[in-house]
Amino acid sequence: MGIGHTRWATHGKPTELNAHPHSSMNAHVVHNGIIENYGELKKEFSENKFLSQTDTEVMVHLFDKFFEETKDSFQAFEKVIESVDGAYAILLITEKDDGKIFFAKKGSPLQIGTEKGEVFFASSDAPLIGLASEAIYLEDNTYGYVTIDEIKVFENGQETTFVKKALATSKFTAQKEGFTFFMEKEIYEQTNVLNDTILGRVDSEKVLFDEIDDDFFVGIEDITICACGTSYHAGLTASYLFGRLAKVKTTVEIASEFRYKDPVLRQNELFVVISQSGETADTLEALKMAKKAGLKTLAICNVDNSSIVRESDATLLTRAGIEKGVASTKAFSAQVTVLWLLALYVGQVKNRISLEDLKKEIKAIGKIKDVTKVDENLRNRIHRLSKRYLHGHGFFFIGRDLFFPLALEGALKLKEISYLHAEGYPSGEMKHGPIALVDSELFTIALMPETLLYDKTRSNVEELSARDSTICAITPTDFDLADDLIKTAKTNHPMLEFFEMMIVVQILSMEISIRLGNDVDMPRNLAKSVTVE
Ligand code: M6R
């Protein structure tokens, strides 16, 4: 029997002392989440009891105290849970009750995997696949204990029932398959992944979603999308698509902001959450708020059975397979693909798109596979160019319309894995402030699609060039003012240009990161899924 937790502490520096498990005389604990009242709780004990700076450690000292009072380990654990506020997935073991693992869940993901003669805990399916055949997805506010023979789940002091669900048996997608990095593999596999994302969801003149009832959009006038990070960028992209293709007003919110702004929620809006992991704490809590307010909810998610999927009224899975690189790539393109399909679907069910336009869009969707295929010449060119972009005092990624969210995403990718300062801007915003930063050491990565507002973007890039910014233009057209030009293939649809340029910015950030000698898959200070706020 053992417990462990591979993440560094949320409080204090990432040192070994602050890493879990934390121990006291009688107990050892691992915890994912934040104990918000730990400062208050700590006051009961003398400061020299604490070895770490974490919020977590207070729980083992509380356990000792309650065990002293009750002489019963389960009662002591229950009292610990009653005392703590915040979000948690907790596992605790004690020498006082050998062979038992105590657990509690609120806000943070926790599930139990079972196999003959073995019991596991994890925060998602991925680590359990191959070890356990069934899983129990614990609900918030449940707690209990397991032994090798029994699983006991409680809520509000009462024992409660649970359901076991079958787990997937294969995890073959989580291998590097000959690539040096997971991120690299995930960039290359997008062409196949996106084919899976689309599979069965279109015919030549219709978008089909088996997961949504025909009347799902009845009464829905507006859409609010809520997400974090890359998923937020996919949401922003979708807001342009929903406006154009379905004539639906769409608001996009960053989940951590949305939660605390006392948002105005109306019954005629659909609340869409986007999340690769399905476990992002802020997105999950925003979803719960929307549900509580009585809104219809839809999740765009990559992980079936995740907390967000379980909480939503309906889900469209992105089918990207397990994404291991912390910097999201294939999950982003799969989210955008599902959202593009969804915009068409809404346009179709609300009769807001002509059959002719719908057919054109579907035809373009059929070409995603081609434009996301990594061309080795392009890769080599980006590899060679990347050596010129390892310094400087910053990067501007700029684009207009659909290419503004892509600029944000490009900048996020670069900063995550290169640790260089990068910002994404709408090209038209330059003269409203950012242009003041421009000199030859400021690198502009200009997204200049031919099919959407080319002339407007071009004149914005000219302004930057006139101030001596080093310009790397990503475009299918020749452009004299570019210091470097990464040429994309010509297409006839802005979304196809979007996907082509997405591949370029993903590879560019990866090549820069490799040259800088960084850990591409596990960048410093970041975690793959952010289950604390
Ligand atoms: O799992 P989620 O999509 O909800 O995660 C949201 C963000 O934490 C995530 O997209 C993050 O920004 C990535 N590291 C970006 O590469």
Side-chain angles (χ1 to χ4, degrees), residues 228-231 275-277 280 326-328 412-413 416 530:
C228 301
T230 287
S231 300
S275 175
Q276 186 286 128
S277 60
T280 300
V326 166
S328 183
L412 179 65
K413 282 298 79 89
E416 279 186 293
V530 184

Short mmCIF file of all heavy atoms in Angstrom, two decimals, residues 228-231 275-277 280 326-328 412-413 416 530, ligand 1:
data_model
loop_
_atom_site.label_atom_id
_atom_site.label_comp_id
_atom_site.label_asym_id
_atom_site.label_seq_id
_atom_site.Cartn_x
_atom_site.Cartn_y
_atom_site.Cartn_z
N CYS A 228 -10.00 28.22 -20.65
CA CYS A 228 -8.72 28.81 -20.22
C CYS A 228 -7.65 28.50 -21.28
O CYS A 228 -7.73 27.48 -21.96
CB CYS A 228 -8.23 28.16 -18.93
SG CYS A 228 -9.36 28.33 -17.58
N GLY A 229 -6.64 29.34 -21.33
CA GLY A 229 -5.45 29.08 -22.14
C GLY A 229 -5.75 28.81 -23.59
O GLY A 229 -6.52 29.52 -24.25
N THR A 230 -5.15 27.75 -24.09
CA THR A 230 -5.34 27.38 -25.49
C THR A 230 -6.80 27.13 -25.81
O THR A 230 -7.29 27.51 -26.88
CB THR A 230 -4.49 26.11 -25.77
OG1 THR A 230 -3.13 26.50 -25.81
CG2 THR A 230 -4.85 25.45 -27.06
N SER A 231 -7.52 26.53 -24.89
CA SER A 231 -8.93 26.26 -25.15
C SER A 231 -9.72 27.56 -25.29
O SER A 231 -10.68 27.64 -26.06
CB SER A 231 -9.52 25.41 -24.00
OG SER A 231 -8.83 24.20 -23.92
N SER A 275 -12.39 22.30 -23.04
CA SER A 275 -11.27 21.87 -22.20
C SER A 275 -10.66 20.59 -22.77
O SER A 275 -11.38 19.64 -23.09
CB SER A 275 -11.77 21.61 -20.78
OG SER A 275 -10.74 21.08 -19.99
N GLN A 276 -9.36 20.60 -22.92
CA GLN A 276 -8.69 19.37 -23.35
C GLN A 276 -8.86 18.31 -22.27
O GLN A 276 -9.35 17.22 -22.52
CB GLN A 276 -7.20 19.65 -23.59
CG GLN A 276 -6.39 18.50 -24.18
CD GLN A 276 -6.08 17.37 -23.22
OE1 GLN A 276 -6.34 16.21 -23.52
NE2 GLN A 276 -5.55 17.68 -22.07
N SER A 277 -8.45 18.65 -21.05
CA SER A 277 -8.39 17.66 -19.97
C SER A 277 -9.76 17.33 -19.38
O SER A 277 -9.97 16.25 -18.86
CB SER A 277 -7.51 18.20 -18.84
OG SER A 277 -8.07 19.41 -18.34
N THR A 280 -9.95 21.17 -15.78
CA THR A 280 -9.47 22.50 -15.40
C THR A 280 -10.43 23.11 -14.36
O THR A 280 -11.63 23.29 -14.63
CB THR A 280 -9.35 23.39 -16.65
OG1 THR A 280 -8.42 22.74 -17.52
CG2 THR A 280 -8.87 24.78 -16.32
N VAL A 326 2.85 19.31 -22.63
CA VAL A 326 2.14 20.35 -21.86
C VAL A 326 1.62 21.43 -22.81
O VAL A 326 0.52 21.95 -22.65
CB VAL A 326 3.07 20.94 -20.77
CG1 VAL A 326 2.48 22.23 -20.20
CG2 VAL A 326 3.26 19.93 -19.65
N ALA A 327 2.42 21.77 -23.82
CA ALA A 327 1.96 22.76 -24.81
C ALA A 327 0.97 22.07 -25.74
O ALA A 327 1.30 21.16 -26.49
CB ALA A 327 3.14 23.30 -25.58
N SER A 328 -0.25 22.53 -25.67
CA SER A 328 -1.32 21.87 -26.41
C SER A 328 -1.21 22.15 -27.91
O SER A 328 -1.01 23.28 -28.32
CB SER A 328 -2.65 22.39 -25.87
OG SER A 328 -3.71 21.74 -26.50
N LEU A 412 1.36 32.18 -27.07
CA LEU A 412 1.30 31.32 -25.88
C LEU A 412 2.22 30.11 -26.04
O LEU A 412 2.96 29.75 -25.12
CB LEU A 412 -0.15 30.87 -25.61
CG LEU A 412 -0.35 29.95 -24.41
CD1 LEU A 412 -0.01 30.66 -23.10
CD2 LEU A 412 -1.78 29.42 -24.34
N LYS A 413 2.16 29.49 -27.24
CA LYS A 413 3.03 28.32 -27.48
C LYS A 413 4.49 28.71 -27.26
O LYS A 413 5.23 28.02 -26.59
CB LYS A 413 2.89 27.81 -28.92
CG LYS A 413 1.73 26.99 -29.32
CD LYS A 413 1.54 25.68 -28.64
CE LYS A 413 0.94 25.81 -27.29
NZ LYS A 413 -0.46 25.82 -27.13
N GLU A 416 5.38 29.46 -23.56
CA GLU A 416 5.35 28.27 -22.70
C GLU A 416 6.64 27.46 -22.79
O GLU A 416 7.15 27.01 -21.77
CB GLU A 416 4.21 27.33 -23.13
CG GLU A 416 2.85 27.69 -22.62
CD GLU A 416 1.83 26.63 -22.98
OE1 GLU A 416 1.54 26.45 -24.17
OE2 GLU A 416 1.33 25.95 -22.06
N VAL A 530 -4.66 21.78 -15.09
CA VAL A 530 -4.62 22.74 -13.98
C VAL A 530 -5.87 22.54 -13.11
O VAL A 530 -6.89 23.17 -13.32
CB VAL A 530 -4.51 24.19 -14.51
CG1 VAL A 530 -4.37 25.18 -13.37
CG2 VAL A 530 -3.31 24.31 -15.44
O1 M6R B 1 -7.32 21.12 -20.21
P1 M6R B 1 -7.73 22.50 -20.60
O2 M6R B 1 -7.93 22.65 -22.08
O3 M6R B 1 -8.94 22.98 -19.86
O4 M6R B 1 -6.51 23.42 -20.22
C1 M6R B 1 -6.56 24.81 -20.34
C2 M6R B 1 -5.17 25.40 -20.28
O5 M6R B 1 -4.57 25.12 -19.05
C3 M6R B 1 -4.27 24.85 -21.39
O6 M6R B 1 -4.83 25.04 -22.64
C4 M6R B 1 -2.89 25.53 -21.35
O7 M6R B 1 -3.00 26.87 -21.68
C5 M6R B 1 -1.92 24.78 -22.27
N1 M6R B 1 -0.72 24.48 -21.57
C6 M6R B 1 -1.60 25.53 -23.50
O8 M6R B 1 -0.62 24.93 -24.27
#
